[in-house]
Structures are given as C-alpha cells and as structure tokens.
Amino acid sequence: MILQRYYQPEIERMSYDEMKAIQDGRLSEQVAHVYKNVAYYRKLMDDKGVAPEDVKSTEDLRKLPFLTKDDLRDAYPYGLLAVPLHDAVRIQSTSGTTGRRVVAFYTQEDINLWSECCARAIVAAGGTSDDVVQVCYGYGLFTGGPGLDGGSHKVGSLTLPMSSGNTERQIQFMCDLETTILCCTPSYAAYIGETVDEMGARDKLKLKAGIFGAEAWSEEMRRGIEAKLGLKAHDIYGLTEISGPGVSFECCEQTGLHVNEDHFIAEIIDPATGEVLPYGEKGELVFTSITKKAFPLLRYRTRDICVLTRESCSCGRTLVKMSRLMGRTDDMLIIRGVNVFPSQIETVLISSGFQANYQLIVDRVNFSDTLEVRVELTPDMFSDTVRKLEDRGRELRDKLKSMLGLYAKVTLAEPKSIARSEGKAVRVIDKRKI
Ligand code: DLL
C-alpha cells in the first residue's frame, strides 16, 4: 500500500459538487474580467451575441467563442493582456520560431498559482521537503524549467536548477547531491539513462521518481526509462498558453493525468464541428483558465487529442483525468521537445535554392527522436561536383539547426526520386510508435 500524499488535499480530493461550485463562481468572474479588459475577446463575444451575464456556470461555457493559436498570433504581443502592464511581472514563450511565437504573461499571483499546480505534481510523484529535485527542463522562455522549479520551491525540496544539456555534469550532480526526483523530457531521461550506463554510474543513483512531459511518449518508453534509471516515471502535461507544465499531472496510478480543474476547465470537442463531446470520447482538448489574471484564455483550442474521464481514482483525487495525448490536430511535430512545423523547413529549403520536393522522416531511435530531411536536388545541382554537394548538404544542415534549434540529418536525393502527389503532399513520415 502506497502512502498517498497531496499538496492541497482539500482541493485535490474535493467532491464534484464542491468543485463545480468553485468553477461556476470563478468562471463568471473570469468572463467579466476578460470582457472588461480584453478588447479582442470582447469583440468575439459581441460578434457571437453573448454578454458576460449570460455565463453563470460551466453549462454556459459552450456559449463562449473559441480562441485558437491564430487569435494569439493576431493579438501578438499585447492584445490579450488583461491587466495593466505594471501588474505583469513575467513572460514565457513557446518554442516556435519566427512568426509562430506565442507570448504568455503572468502576474505575481499567476506565477504563485502555477507553482502550486507544479507542486501538486511533485507531491503526487512522492516529493517532500526531504527530496532533492533536479530540474533538467530548459530554463528561460520555455515554461518547463521555471514551472517545475517553482513547484519544487513550494514543496520545499532542495532544487537543482540545471536546465538541459551537459549530460555528464547532470549525472555528476545527480550522484554527488543524491538527487531523488528528476524532471525533464522523456527523451532526455532516456538519454541520461544511456549516459549513466556509459559512465558506470548506475549504482550511485538515488532516484525514486521522474516527472516527464512536454512531448509525446509511449508506455514502452516509460517502462524503459523506469528500468534504466530505477525510478517511477510520472507524466506531466501543460502548454505555454495555459500556464506551462502542471495543467495536469499523473498520480501513482499512472493511468492518465489529473487536471487541476480548480484553475483550468477542460472540455473535449469534435475538432471538425466544435461540438462538445461527452466524457469518454476522443477529441480536441479545450481549456478555460479561471484563475489566471494576466493572460486568461477562454475556451482555448489546444489541438491536442485525448479523452477525459471522471471515474474515481484509487489515489483519492477527484480531479478529472485526461488520457495520455493521442496526437495533435495540426501538423506541428514535436521533436525532442522542440516544436517543428514542416512549413519552417520548407522555407529554409526554398531559400537555399531547393524546390519543395522533400520529405521529413521522423523516428525514435533508442528513445530519442531523430529527424531526417530528404530533399531532392534540382537537375542543376545534380551536375555539381561531389565536393560541392557535400558543402551544400552541410550548409543546409547548419541552416536547419539555426532555424529549428535542432540537428537534422540531411539526405540529398536524386531529382524526381520523391513521389509526387495529386492531392495533398505527404511530407511527414512519422515512424515513432506513440
Ligand atoms: O511543453 C509545457 C511543459 C513543460 C509540459 C514541461 C510538461 C513539462 P509548450 O512548449 O507550449 O509547453 O508545448 C505544449 O506540448 O500542446 C502538447 O502538444 C505537448 N505536450 C506537453 N506535455 C505533453 C505530454 C510545454 N505530457 C505542447 N505528453 C502541448 C504529450 C505533451 N505531449
């Protein structure tokens, strides 16, 4: 029998009726706040003929218009800021590159609540003030590092703000400081596992739990990491637009993620029609943040596909559960935690003199994502010397690296060797089994 710990038991174990009452009150307050302070969303509501007074409870949620990533881009940078600038203390941003960036704002209290959400995740993974928490998510604009860092401070654990990279040093610290909880992307955890073996450091590890998220990972990958690092691996989900990690988190059951629904109301919709689907049905996840003040998004379409369930969980938490993510409605690839759009790669290819005859082959080798960019040479290029072609390949690889922040293998293919399509081109071959 595992001893259950909760960071905020009064909330995490609250009855459905009590939770609904909290959600109803916060939702109507939030809608009034947004209507008053965000001209962009006020117009969307006016266009839909809905007034703040029309939204009194979660049943009224569906009256509200959706927000999409396009709205966030339209309103960039300050169009959705709902507080005076002097109340906003921080931004975080997505890993997307030029033109795709989303900037989210926080008040001090928003950061406080976000840290509490992450603290719930750490405590659900067994964390206490006696633990040593090594945070190897990136720090900076990415929410991973700051989010888990804030949570670890709330719990009172000793926090190692490592950020990602320099794996041998990570492992050295892990051994010397006797890290017990590791926070990073699942692919980085797998890579750390391999390096631990190479360094012969396995026996020196004191890890008991991992909090891994920000990218899709399979159950097989989870078991592999658990075996390699000798820990229990917990999933954590979140997105910059809604705060960052800690929107939902996995308990000891490892059968889905509890949504922090006193802060974020989750809905599942049919991505094609926008119709709200009942619990148990697969669809696009939509979030409404009911406590954030600086950047409060109402009915934000995440494009993430999953299932919501409200069955009781043996951990004692009553918070609604979402399944592991089953994919995305758009074409955004997440490769080693970095968001990659095929269109960005196309831009690099075309600006380097290639034509749009290319394929992106994504795979997962030894639990780490790989990206191969296969691009056809133009007939002119094809007659270049081997030396020139090698230079061209190297140059392209470097440009992709600086655009995506990611290493991609470049394969230069013969002209006309990539199948043409009469309908939509199939550009992405994702061989990852997730
Ligand atoms: O990835 C926030 C985060 C940091 C979550 C650290 C967990 C741990 P973004 O960079 O804005 O934010 O990317 C958000 O990543 O819409 C999902 O598609 C994907 N994603 C996040 N967590 C998971 C997960 C952070 N546990 C996008 N499983 C989301 C699968 C995930 N995909």
Side-chain angles (χ1 to χ4, degrees), residues 86-272:
H86 63 82
D87 286 339
V89 299
R90 167 97 72 82
I91 68 149
Q92 300 290 157
S93 180
T94 59
S95 49
T97 47
T98 340
R100 301 274 183 182
R101 251 188 207 298
V102 165
V103 174
F105 303 87
Y106 303 76
T107 63
Q108 192 59 54
E109 180 59 5
D110 292 340
I111 290 177
N112 184 38
L113 297 179
W114 175 29
S115 300
E116 285 184 359
C117 289
C118 289
R120 289 182 196 174
I122 292 171
V123 174
T128 68
S129 53
D130 291 326
D131 278 293
V132 179
V133 175
Q134 186 156 339
V135 183
C136 322
Y137 286 112
Y139 278 65
L141 289 173
F142 180 54
T143 54
L148 271 305
D149 189 290
S152 176
H153 278 89
K154 284 271 175 205
V155 176
S157 309
L158 178 66
T159 312
L160 275 55
M162 301 295 292
S163 202
S164 53
N166 205 338
T167 309
E168 291 197 4
R169 190 182 64 183
Q170 299 272 6
I171 294 165
Q172 199 62 57
F173 267 97
M174 215 174 278
C175 297
D176 294 348
L177 288 146
E178 305 190 343
T179 300
T180 49
I181 299 183
L182 175 64
C183 306
C184 60
T185 61
S187 30
Y188 195 44
Y191 180 58
I192 289 175
E194 275 176 8
T195 315
V196 163
D197 280 350
E198 283 161 21
M199 290 168 67
R202 190 92 190 270
D203 293 346
K204 299 191 196 101
L205 294 184
K206 295 278 191 297
L207 293 169
K208 67 175 190 188
I211 302 178
F212 305 135
E215 62 180 356
W217 54 313
S218 62
E219 199 51 37
E220 292 71 34
M221 184 164 182
R222 187 209 301 266
R223 298 301 163 213
I225 296 170
E226 289 186 329
K228 260 226 148 71
L229 291 174
L231 48 69
K232 186 159 181 175
H234 299 255
D235 201 352
I236 183 165
Y237 167 85
L239 60 167
T240 312
E241 298 90 313
I242 298 299
S243 69
V247 170
S248 64
F249 61 95
E250 229 177 22
C251 62
C252 56
E253 280 290 295
Q254 298 179 308
T255 53
L257 301 96
H258 290 284
V259 177
N260 280 316
E261 56 181 338
D262 50 326
H263 298 296
F264 317 108
I265 303 178
E267 297 173 277
I268 290 286
I269 62 161
D270 176 334

Side-chain angles (χ1 to χ4, degrees), residues 62 66 266-278 281-286 299-306 308 329:
R62 59 190 73 193
F66 291 117
E267 297 173 277
I268 290 286
I269 62 161
D270 176 334
T273 62
E275 181 204 346
V276 179
L277 300 176
E281 282 198 32
K282 177 173 158 184
E284 182 180 349
L285 192 54
V286 172
R299 298 200 91 196
Y300 180 66
R301 292 183 60 159
T302 63
R303 307 186 194 192
D304 290 325
I305 303 288
C306 72
L308 286 178
T329 60

